[in-house]
């Protein structure tokens, strides 16, 4: 029986493992892919304290390295289900079952893609899903932001500090974003709008993006427009399908926790991007992980 099974070895899960293991708990860290999570898809991280610049994979390695010496068991597998059996939980991975006193869910979120030609080809070569991370690489460029929600509008405003211009393309003629954000965007001279339009394709040369094909969905008209970078904000999806039936998510699938990272089920915690929260970053994931690692120690001690 484990004291805690942590699902997902991104920054949130690795930090939870660090704190739980340093409290002498028996810890399993389960990962379906390579440890590091989304950091493995990040070329440069410039907003992690202590490093002016570090590559995502290097930061991932630095977070993972100390865990082995602390006795954390690193297991490979994709979790399919968690069963709450009261005093303990069972984590089901394909054809294996792990019994544990507590579970920490750290499975992250997935940026929805447009699924248009050129999108995956130019990912990290002018196509980005994170303005906070990549914005500074696009100084004096004409940028396109796709989407009409809070993220698209907020990030478009953020990008104006670097870009020559920022154009928001939205599939309707009215934004979904909060009014206060809309007002700020409409008042910003660097921000332009293209309404009722969708991106049909993303183009570039052998190095990076140089434009898109836009289609007006009311008139059917198509045209090519040049841009030096494309930021896609058409929503995020939590990776929480395997919690179905536990009743710990909101209607969109984000896991709801309190400030101690506790879900509605005693002994089950959630940390990082999968959690219902405002700022999804490495720093906030790490903070959540530290809290949950400490909380499982308290839970295990109180229930032994
Ligand atoms: P993740 O990093 O998403 O890790 C979740 C892990 O869970 C993954 O490894 C996944 O394989 C695993 N997993 C999922 N489902 C299962 C399952 N069923 N069973 C087992 N394992 C599972 N933030 C910054 O602070 N600075 C940046 O510069 C920055 N750049 C970014 C660049 C890009 C391109 C992207 C996409 C994001 C960037 N972010 C950045 C955001 C940051 O990466 C995330 O906020 C952070 O990684 C979230 O950490 P997490 O541990 O919650 O989830
Ligand atoms: P979102 O609210 O789901 O908005 C996604 C936007 O993308 C919508 O405008 C949607 O259009 C558009 N869209 C979806 N699929 C598309 C497609 N295939 N092609 C073109 N456009 C598409 O997502 P979000 O903006 O990332 O926000 C997610 C959540 O985080 C929200 O609850 C939001 O309020 C919250 N958030 C809050 C803040 C804040 O409070 N400051 C900041 C950021 C995010 P339609 O409008 O036509 O549906």
């Amino acid at each position: 029986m484990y004291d805690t099974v942590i699902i997902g070895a991104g920054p949130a899960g690795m930090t939870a493992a660090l704190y739980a293991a340093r409290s002498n708990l028996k810890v399993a860290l389960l990962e379906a892919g390579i440890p590091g999570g989304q950091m493995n898809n990040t070329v440069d991280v410039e907003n992690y304290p202590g490093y002016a610049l570090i590559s995502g994979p290097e930061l991932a390695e630095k977070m993972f390295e100390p865990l082995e010496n602390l006795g954390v068991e690193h297991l490979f597998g994709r979790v399919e289900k968690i069963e709450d059996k009261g005093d303990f939980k069972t984590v089901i991975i394909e054809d294996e079952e792990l019994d544990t006193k507590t579970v920490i869910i750290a499975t992250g979120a997935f940026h929805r893609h447009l699924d248009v030609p050129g999108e995956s080809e130019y990912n990290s070569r002018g196509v980005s899903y994170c303005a906070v991370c990549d914005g500074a690489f696009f100084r004096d460029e004409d940028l396109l932001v796709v989407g009409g929600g809070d993220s698209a509008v907020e990030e478009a405003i953020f990008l104006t500090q670097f870009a020559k211009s920022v154009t928001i393309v939205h599939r309707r003629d009215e934004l979904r974003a909060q009014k206060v954000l809309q007002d700020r965007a409409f008042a910003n001279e660097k921000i332009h709008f293209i309404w009722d339009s969708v991106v049909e394709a993303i183009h570039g040369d052998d190095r990076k993006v140089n434009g898109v094909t836009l289609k007006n969905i009311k008139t059917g008209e198509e045209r090519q427009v040049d841009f030096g970078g494309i930021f896609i904000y058409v929503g995020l999806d939590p990776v929480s399908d395997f919690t179905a039936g536990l009743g710990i998510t909101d209607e969109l699938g984000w896991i709801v926790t309190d400030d101690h990272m506790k879900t509605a089920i005693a002994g089950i915690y959630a940390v990082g991007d999968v959690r219902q929260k405002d700022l999804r970053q490495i720093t906030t994931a790490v903070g959540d992980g530290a809290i949950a690692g400490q909380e499982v120690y308290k839970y295990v001690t109180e229930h032994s």
Side-chain angles (χ1 to χ4, degrees), residues 169-171 195-201 213-217:
V169 60
H170 184 37
R171 63 185 177 183
W195 302 108
D196 300 315
S197 297
V198 292
V199 173
E200 287 279 277
T213 301
L214 296 178
K215 180 179 181 181
N216 183 304
I217 53 176

Side-chain angles (χ1 to χ4, degrees), residues 202-280:
I202 295 173
H203 314 289
D205 53 29
D206 53 3
R207 209 170 52 85
K208 67 182 280 291
V209 151
N210 58 22
V212 292
T213 301
L214 296 178
K215 180 179 181 181
N216 183 304
I217 53 176
K218 284 194 173 152
T219 64
E221 181 209 347
E222 285 194 11
R223 62 186 168 123
Q224 287 204 13
V225 189
D226 292 345
F227 290 105
I230 324 288
F231 286 80
I232 299 170
Y233 285 103
V234 294
L236 283 177
D237 289 322
V239 183
S240 63
D241 295 4
F242 59 91
T243 68
L246 291 177
I248 59 173
T249 67
D250 65 13
E251 67 283 358
L252 297 174
W254 303 103
I255 301 181
V256 180
T257 71
D258 64 10
D259 290 349
H260 302 274
M261 308 301 138
K262 293 177 182 170
T263 68
I265 298 179
I268 300 186
Y269 302 78
V271 292
D273 278 10
V274 73
R275 202 162 74 78
Q276 190 190 62
K277 67 197 255 190
D278 282 343
L279 185 61
R280 294 191 167 87

Side-chain angles (χ1 to χ4, degrees), residues 7-13 30-34 36-39 41-42 44-47 77-80 106-109 111 124 129-130 133-134 239 242 271-274 280-283 285:
I7 309 171
L30 263 171
E31 171 56 54
I34 313 166
Q38 287 185 32
M39 292 188 294
N41 306 321
T42 308
D44 290 323
V45 177
E46 288 189 287
N47 56 1
R78 182 168 296 281
V79 172
E80 290 174 351
T107 45
H111 293 265
S124 298
Y129 303 86
C130 183
C133 324
D134 300 335
V239 183
F242 59 91
V271 292
D273 278 10
V274 73
R280 294 191 167 87
Q281 292 279 284
I282 300 168
T283 45

